[in-house]
Amino acid sequence: MNKYMNFRKRTAVCGELRPENAGQIIVLNGWVDSTRDHGGVIFTNLRDRYGITQIVISPETQPELAARARELKAEYVIWAEGTVRMRENPNPKIPTGLVEISASDFGVINTAELLPFEISDEQLAGEELRLRYRYLDLRRPALQNNFIIRSKAYQIIHNYFAENGFLEFETPVLTKSTPEGARDYLVPSRVHKGSFYALPQSPQIYKQLLMVSGFDRYMQIVKCFRDEDLRADRQPEFTQIDVEMSFVEQNDIISLAEGLMVKLWREILEIEISAPFRRMSYREAMSRYGSDKPDLRFDLELHNITDIVCHSEFSVFALAAAEENGAVMAMNAKNCASFSRKTLDELTEHARKYGAKGLAWMKFTDGTAQSPIAKFLKDEEISAIKAKLGAEDGDLLLFGAGNWGKCCSFMGAVRLETARKSGIYENIRSKFSFHWVTEFPLLEYSEDESRYAACHHPFTSPMSEDIALLSENPATARAITHDLVVNGYETAGGSIRIHDNAVQQTMFDLLGMSREEAEKKFGFLLSALRYGAPPHGGIAFGLDRLCMLLCGSENIRDVIVFPKTTSALSLMDGCPSDVSAEQLKELGIMLAMPK
Amino acid sequence: MNKYMNFRKRTAVCGELRPENAGQIIVLNGWVDSTRDHGGVIFTNLRDRYGITQIVISPETQPELAARARELKAEYVIWAEGTVRMRENPNPKIPTGLVEISASDFGVINTAELLPFEISDEQLAGEELRLRYRYLDLRRPALQNNFIIRSKAYQIIHNYFAENGFLEFETPVLTKSTPEGARDYLVPSRVHKGSFYALPQSPQIYKQLLMVSGFDRYMQIVKCFRDEDLRADRQPEFTQIDVEMSFVEQNDIISLAEGLMVKLWREILEIEISAPFRRMSYREAMSRYGSDKPDLRFDLELHNITDIVCHSEFSVFALAAAEENGAVMAMNAKNCASFSRKTLDELTEHARKYGAKGLAWMKFTDGTAQSPIAKFLKDEEISAIKAKLGAEDGDLLLFGAGNWGKCCSFMGAVRLETARKSGIYENIRSKFSFHWVTEFPLLEYSEDESRYAACHHPFTSPMSEDIALLSENPATARAITHDLVVNGYETAGGSIRIHDNAVQQTMFDLLGMSREEAEKKFGFLLSALRYGAPPHGGIAFGLDRLCMLLCGSENIRDVIVFPKTTSALSLMDGCPSDVSAEQLKELGIMLAMPK
């Protein structure tokens, strides 16, 4: 302990020294990245957030120093004083590679035990071990870079919205539980025993109330919470860029969002993306790409061939065509006629996972169609199909049949899997595709609950031309929504909101909520809509997703500094964990199954 | 519903029109702030976040429009089109007061029922009613202005830290429960039944781990949570500007913080505050002002007169002086000899509330000392006291006696109350005083628990010259801490942290934590300190408090957009609230007292 707090403070950082600094005497602080003894001369790479600088100690001129330097181990924290000089063997790979420090003195600030794994992007230890020692894994250059990018993104976002006249707010984290869709995380109240707060799934209602208050333009970078069984790319807490505007129409929100994307890509990746982005309706996205968030970096479009095959002798096609809302959809996988039988079987299996009963295929080689179903199809049907899909020798056609929506969905899954198998993904890694999907259905019917649920959320405005449908045929009403899709990921979603008390009440009615229940859950919102609510709308961006795209990462845990596992555990600190009986007693709760 | 979404979008906002816009045809959107009929001519003040503009409709030229305008009520949302023209009777009080809009058309976008209270800073309804309709109260100019200031503060803060090379991070909200001091808010885990997350009281450990990771400079504007019985100026969730730096000493943190204060006061209030700020040790603050967060906008200093009265015949003084750590403290309330007997009784009562057994006083008028205790004091004692306190005719001296620390504390309370009663506060309303209090004790002995507790937190570094005291006399060891006090409020607090595993372990030992318990609670931190932890330290600012100072408000709810009451209720949405039996079952918890 006697050396405690006794260190020479740095006068430079490890990433800044260049040939023009030669001759200067400086002090560096940092971590021993590596050290090697080269014929007695000690070369130590000293690392900090800003870079790496080589420090040299020669035993001829500095015997005592060299002896101490030989004791240095990886990840020791040291200070080193010395003179900047040109390197005899420059390292052109790093910005500081032309210079080195000829050390005159150094000291150990803190030692390091042997690490549980090496700090290296090349040789990754198992993720579980790395998560347990997250603070060490974060020393890896790749992760350091990700969080430098994320930090830059925050700054760009804050500045962009400030420049556009937005005010930043902090909405509450201890909020009211009004579960609609996902499960809430609950927080028992000690003061009001038996009552609970909920962590917000989104600040949706609060931002709408801020519009009712007249704040006009709201933004917040905010944590949201969903207690769901996690998929690989989800976290129990995630971050939204949350935005709301008054007196606007959808175009205003869309162009604001496009401006942000252009700025982020320009300032972080130095890539110019061109706005406005392409827009398509939900119906178009589903029918052409089989997805409400299609990846448009490649084509592989779906085609509706129901008309061509409605009288086919292939009964699967004919029956689907005859069904209400039935369809036969086909896709041309260019140059994929070489797919093996095994690959085709895997594609069929994939389609089945997404609800298909089967998947038909047809290969074109030497001007002829090969297919197990060819025998059921007339020549003119095959010709018509070939013409519609622009099929040529070497192409593979894939066919699905059934209810239009379901068929589009599984063919969308087949589309992505085909792209994966055909190597398309290899060629589009560094590409970005931005587009909007709009006009989602307002409602979807939940078979489980025998009632409508909101497709987006219950505060989403129907399109004004579809308002009449709310009483006539609610399922067909479209909402004023806008989802931003980047490379097949839903990166932002938003809508124009309901600002009219009567429309909001109608919406709650359609969702099967009794007047009493609506009042209990959302009375304060209904009341706010009676006191002069302006037209308003907004959008929320998934910041974690955006950072993944900007960092070129496919693991969400690479852009969240202290992430949880898919079972919502923090391996580093071991939470969630036991709490004391005293704590539970104070909260007035008990465990249903005492430990 | 047929007018739904049918409005003319604004081409200008209500705060921007000036004489140079005269002749332009514009559209405004906003709220009817007021409307009056002046001999048939309708004058409507239209309001939005940006200002107020007068709209005029004359029945002679626009009979239909005037008839409709007569139906307008307060807080209706409307659009209005018209020509900007100069006003015949300008209103110099508002920036748009030289012009008005001669309306050519208008429409109602949304109606408003009669409000539960008037939107006015002058006539405030009861706070409970205003909190229930928070979204309406937020329309008040004073609150609109507070949140514009708060938003500006966020922006200044983000930019300041970015300019200084800080990276912004988001630490987790679902964390581990390690209660030390305040109570945690708990979140039951559904996936791991019987286990709990805690909402963070501060991201302290996470930011230290980020230093171990080498991120060098961390900042975050972050929500923190404490489940305490609330005082008037506390909220269950509050916001910190959280900062941590590596390879620094205390001066680096202090000057960084001073730079932020200078920038906030300059850019928001256009006030130049001068840095560096005065610094004083904890001991000096206690002995001179009876507080670890003294308000230095006025003097009213305490003086230790133990030496003068240690042999006094007034036994209260003599006994206190003879006690170990005993003291007699006095203060000169200049020009307060006119305080009535009632006022003096109130001061005595106030002192008792803060632990005094009594309060002695002495008035000087016409060269003589009047005091109930004068008869016990020798003339030379009175002269010495008079000289030491610089007392003159018209002054009032106040005396306390007892244990030094306790005596300083209650005399500090008497100091503030005297300032209140003497009218000092009236003269310092617009003043700002910034200073640092440093060198807090590392530990304080908790009589309740018969053990030491950390004064700041258990990760605070002792002063290096006091390290040896940890084994010899821990109670006297000082910590490397820095509290920023503004106008008597603790506005920021921080320290240099322990970066040495052995010192940290010693600290846990001193706190009476078994090795096993320390490992279970903080094992991941102890482990991190073994793998190359850099020296580091930081600070956390209370952003809500800072905003109160910047907004000139004395109510914390005036700077929190959706605040809770002192019993942690949200009156607007009624949380905390009941949740369904199903929700509790899924979480594996039961109410100890079923409702």
Side-chain angles (χ1 to χ4, degrees), chain B residues 79 95 193 195 222 285 288 291 307 351 378 410 422 480 540 556 578:
Chain B
W79 62 266
K193 291 193 176 52
S195 293
V222 61
R288 293 178 62 181
S291 170
D307 286 350
K378 297 191 196 81
F410 75 72
S422 68
I480 314 179
I556 200 161
D578 293 351

Side-chain angles (χ1 to χ4, degrees), chain A residues 191-470:
Chain A
V191 183
H192 307 278
K193 291 194 176 52
S195 293
F196 293 78
Y197 304 97
L199 303 184
Q201 297 190 23
S202 111
Q204 183 60 36
I205 297 182
Y206 293 107
K207 66 177 175 175
Q208 292 190 234
L209 293 177
L210 289 174
M211 296 303 102
V212 174
S213 298
F215 283 110
D216 207 72
R217 299 190 146 209
Y218 146 98
M219 79 81 58
Q220 181 179 203
I221 296 181
V222 61
K223 278 279 178 75
C224 301
F225 305 85
R226 273 177 213 169
D227 185 8
E228 291 300 298
D229 295 316
L230 301 177
R231 298 201 307 251
D233 65 341
R234 293 278 181 95
Q235 288 274 308
E237 52 182 294
F238 55 96
T239 305
Q240 267 182 207
I241 310 168
D242 202 42
V243 175
E244 197 77 8
M245 308 162 81
S246 289
F247 301 115
V248 291
E249 52 190 19
Q250 186 173 47
N251 280 337
D252 300 306
I253 302 166
I254 284 183
S255 51
L256 178 90
E258 288 172 346
L260 177 62
M261 294 301 109
V262 167
K263 197 164 162 153
L264 283 170
W265 259 253
R266 178 184 297 151
E267 296 187 12
I268 291 179
L269 299 177
E270 296 178 0
I271 290 176
E272 284 299 320
I273 56 178
S274 82
F277 306 153
R278 179 174 164 191
R279 296 188 204 179
M280 65 181 72
S281 69
Y282 170 83
R283 195 167 169 91
E284 183 186 349
M286 288 305 292
S287 65
R288 293 179 61 183
Y289 303 99
S291 170
D292 57 6
K293 42 179 191 289
D295 188 339
L296 296 193
R297 286 175 298 173
F298 55 91
D299 292 334
L300 271 187
E301 261 188 62
L302 307 187
H303 297 268
N304 193 325
I305 58 160
T306 317
D307 286 351
I308 301 176
V309 296
C310 58
H311 303 300
S312 167
E313 283 171 31
F314 185 49
S315 62
V316 174
F317 286 180
L319 285 171
E323 224 182 280
E324 197 188 333
N325 291 322
V328 179
M329 306 296 291
M331 162 199 324
N332 182 353
K334 295 299 285 180
N335 302 314
C336 291
S338 54
F339 273 16
S340 68
R341 189 60 198 234
K342 184 167 162 280
T343 303
L344 291 169
D345 286 348
E346 285 165 2
L347 278 178
T348 306
E349 204 37 57
H350 194 77
R352 284 209 177 95
K353 249 198 304 194
Y354 286 84
K357 290 198 183 113
L359 189 70
W361 56 265
M362 184 177 287
K363 288 178 178 179
F364 287 92
T365 35
D366 302 330
T368 63
Q370 290 178 279
S371 167
I373 63 165
K375 57 179 177 266
F376 303 110
L377 297 175
K378 296 190 196 80
D379 282 350
E380 52 275 30
E381 285 170 337
I382 293 178
S383 303
I385 291 168
K386 194 175 173 188
K388 180 145 193 181
L389 276 83
E392 296 170 321
D393 266 8
D395 291 354
L396 166 73
L397 307 191
L398 296 163
F399 303 90
N403 166 279
W404 178 81
K406 286 178 187 166
C407 182
C408 289
S409 279
F410 75 73
M411 287 300 282
V414 169
R415 175 178 178 266
L416 296 184
E417 192 62 16
T418 303
R420 244 168 248 128
K421 289 186 184 297
S422 68
I424 286 181
Y425 275 108
E426 305 302 315
N427 302 321
I428 57 172
R429 279 261 154 84
S430 56
K431 271 195 189 173
F432 291 102
S433 148
F434 296 78
H435 63 97
W436 294 98
V437 178
T438 60
E439 300 183 19
F440 274 65
L442 183 68
L443 302 162
E444 56 193 353
Y445 194 76
S446 160
E447 306 282 352
D448 289 357
E449 304 182 64
S450 308
R451 65 170 184 97
Y452 286 111
C455 244
H456 193 61
H457 58 54
F459 318 109
T460 307
S461 175
M463 289 174 67
S464 54
E465 55 266 51
D466 287 5
I467 288 262
L469 291 173
L470 295 188

Side-chain angles (χ1 to χ4, degrees), chain A residues 4 10 110 113 135 151 154-155 159 168 170 173-174 192 197 216 237 461 527 530 564 567-568 590, chain B residues 4 50 113 135 151 154-155 159 168 170 173-174 192 197 216 237 461 499 527 530 564 567-568 590:
Chain A
Y4 190 71
R10 65 188 170 195
N110 212 344
E113 292 181 7
Y135 44 87
S151 182
Y154 291 126
Q155 200 56 23
N159 286 334
E168 193 169 334
E170 286 179 83
V173 177
L174 296 170
H192 307 278
Y197 304 97
D216 207 72
E237 52 182 294
S461 175
S527 158
R530 279 196 295 265
K564 303 224 167 28
S567 62
M590 300 181 342
Chain B
Y4 189 71
Y50 312 93
E113 293 181 6
Y135 44 87
S151 182
Y154 291 125
Q155 200 57 22
N159 286 334
E168 193 168 333
E170 284 178 84
V173 177
L174 296 170
H192 308 278
Y197 304 96
D216 208 71
E237 52 182 293
S461 176
H499 68 280
S527 159
R530 279 195 296 264
K564 302 222 166 31
S567 61
M590 300 180 346

Side-chain angles (χ1 to χ4, degrees), chain B residues 329-331 333 344 347 359-361 396-400 411 414 418:
Chain B
M329 306 296 291
M331 164 201 320
L344 291 167
L347 277 178
L359 189 71
W361 56 265
L396 166 73
L397 306 191
L398 296 163
F399 304 90
M411 287 301 281
V414 169
T418 303

Side-chain angles (χ1 to χ4, degrees), chain A residues 1 4 7 9-10 29 31 49-50 75 77 109-115 135-136 138-139 144 150-151 154-155 158-159 162 165 167-168 170-177 183 185-188 190 192 195-197 206 209-210 212-216 223 225 227-229 237 239 246-247 249 252 461 467 498-499 506 524 527-528 530-535 561-562 564 567-569 572-573 575-577 579 583-584 586-590 592 595, chain B residues 1 4 7 9-10 29 31 49-50 75 77 109-115 135-136 138-139 144 150-151 154-155 158-159 162 165 167-168 170-177 183 185-188 190 192 195-197 206 209-210 212-216 223 225 227-229 237 239 246-247 249 252 461 467 498-499 506 524 527-528 530-535 561-562 564 567-569 572-573 575-577 579 583-584 586-590 592 595:
Chain A
M1 285 192 206
Y4 190 71
F7 74 99
K9 219 167 61 173
R10 65 188 170 195
N29 297 164
W31 284 260
R49 179 185 117 196
Y50 311 94
E75 302 305 312
V77 184
I109 304 175
N110 212 344
T111 57
E113 292 181 7
L114 184 65
L115 265 58
Y135 44 87
L136 297 180
L138 287 171
R139 288 185 190 164
Q144 291 265 319
R150 187 165 175 137
S151 182
Y154 291 126
Q155 200 56 23
H158 285 303
N159 286 334
L167 298 178
E168 193 169 334
E170 286 179 83
T171 54
V173 177
L174 296 170
T175 66
K176 184 176 181 173
S177 180
R183 241 180 250 110
Y185 276 106
L186 296 182
V187 182
R190 176 182 57 84
H192 307 278
S195 293
F196 293 78
Y197 304 97
Y206 293 107
L209 293 177
L210 289 174
V212 174
S213 298
F215 283 110
D216 207 72
K223 278 279 178 75
F225 305 85
D227 185 8
E228 291 300 298
D229 295 316
E237 52 182 294
T239 305
S246 289
F247 301 115
E249 52 190 19
D252 300 306
S461 175
I467 288 262
I498 297 169
H499 68 279
T506 303
F524 62 109
S527 158
R530 279 196 295 265
Y531 293 115
V561 72
F562 294 110
K564 303 224 167 28
S567 62
L569 285 173
M572 185 179 72
D573 57 22
C575 80
S577 56
V579 296
Q583 283 175 286
L584 296 184
E586 281 195 310
L587 296 175
I589 60 172
M590 300 181 342
K595 286 199 161 181
Chain B
M1 287 194 206
Y4 189 71
F7 74 100
K9 218 166 62 173
R10 65 189 172 195
N29 295 164
W31 285 261
R49 179 185 116 195
Y50 312 93
E75 302 304 312
V77 184
I109 304 174
N110 212 346
T111 56
E113 293 181 6
L114 184 64
L115 265 58
Y135 44 87
L136 297 180
L138 286 171
R139 289 184 189 165
Q144 290 266 318
R150 186 165 177 137
S151 182
Y154 291 125
Q155 200 57 22
H158 285 301
N159 286 334
L167 297 178
E168 193 168 333
E170 284 178 84
T171 54
V173 177
L174 296 170
T175 66
K176 184 176 179 172
S177 179
R183 239 180 252 109
Y185 276 105
L186 296 182
V187 182
R190 176 182 58 84
H192 308 278
S195 293
F196 293 79
Y197 304 96
Y206 293 107
L209 293 177
L210 289 174
V212 174
S213 297
F215 282 111
D216 208 71
K223 277 280 178 76
F225 306 85
D227 185 9
E228 291 300 296
D229 296 317
E237 52 182 293
T239 304
S246 289
F247 301 115
E249 52 189 20
D252 300 306
S461 176
I467 287 261
I498 298 169
H499 68 280
T506 303
F524 62 109
S527 159
R530 279 195 296 264
Y531 292 115
V561 71
F562 294 110
K564 302 222 166 31
S567 61
L569 285 173
M572 185 180 72
D573 56 24
C575 82
S577 56
V579 295
Q583 282 174 286
L584 296 184
E586 281 195 310
L587 296 175
I589 60 172
M590 300 180 346
K595 286 199 160 178

